[in-house]
Amino acid sequence: MLRIDRIVNDAKPEIVMTTSKIVSSITAPNQTAQVQLLTEAYQKANVPPEKVQYIETHGTGTSLGDPSEVGALSQVVSLNRSEDRKCKIGSVKSNIGHLESAAGIAGLIKTALAINKRCLPAGLHFKHPNPHIPFHDIKVSVQDSLTS
């Protein structure tokens, strides 16, 4: 049986997966709260955010949700990160769609398989980044090809 604490402790490179229910309203995420949550999670896990190489995102595909999520991630993982080591992000939804209540576990399984196989898959149907996210100005980029 694969235990999440073993995944996080044994993962090389370090990979951390977070999920959050912190929102401003039922439909609007709260970026400030997400930054606080991520900062606290990395501190408690004793993981320097600049060492994180990949994050499996929720990836709503919306003009509000994605920029808020990526904005929060970028604020936290970009500190002390060199420009040539952007943190990669992906979402299993681009491969299999939104599974409603099973979306989180699907992302966890994808990330566990990526650790096990020592490669990061590209989003199957990813074509263009969300135009509401300034990828050229941040140290986060979409995992758009298979890498090992």
Side-chain angles (χ1 to χ4, degrees):
M1 179 178 215
L2 190 60
R3 291 179 25 192
I4 188 64
D5 60 331
R6 287 290 312 268
I7 292 172
V8 172
N9 289 332
D10 294 347
K12 300 293 182 238
E14 289 100 353
I15 296 178
V16 174
M17 179 180 195
T18 64
T19 59
S20 172
K21 298 287 184 193
I22 298 174
V23 294
S24 297
S25 71
I26 194 69
T27 59
N30 182 325
Q31 185 171 329
T32 301
Q34 289 180 5
V35 167
Q36 292 170 349
L37 174 77
L38 290 164
T39 300
E40 183 179 333
Y42 285 118
Q43 287 172 348
K44 284 185 176 181
N46 199 28
V47 173
E50 70 273 10
K51 298 282 188 185
V52 175
Q53 295 180 6
Y54 176 77
I55 298 171
E56 178 69 15
T57 65
H58 180 64
T60 61
T62 66
S63 60
L64 178 63
D66 287 350
S68 182
E69 180 179 23
V70 175
L73 292 170
S74 177
Q75 278 184 258
V76 176
V77 302
S78 293
L79 296 174
N80 303 317
R81 180 181 294 273
S82 64
E83 190 64 40
D84 63 332
R85 282 192 0 89
K86 289 190 173 195
C87 181
K88 297 292 189 172
I89 60 171
S91 175
V92 73
K93 288 178 189 73
S94 108
N95 294 53
I96 61 175
H98 198 308
L99 300 175
E100 300 299 327
S101 62
I105 194 64
L108 177 61
I109 292 168
K110 173 189 165 189
T111 305
L113 286 169
I115 292 169
N116 181 265
K117 301 297 182 185
R118 298 199 166 291
C119 64
L120 293 174
L124 182 62
H125 299 290
F126 173 78
K127 300 289 185 231
H128 305 286
N130 185 320
H132 301 286
I133 301 172
F135 282 107
H136 56 280
D137 294 332
I138 61 176
K139 296 177 185 174
V140 173
S141 63
V142 175
Q143 178 67 23
D144 59 1
S145 62
L146 178 66
T147 57
S148 54

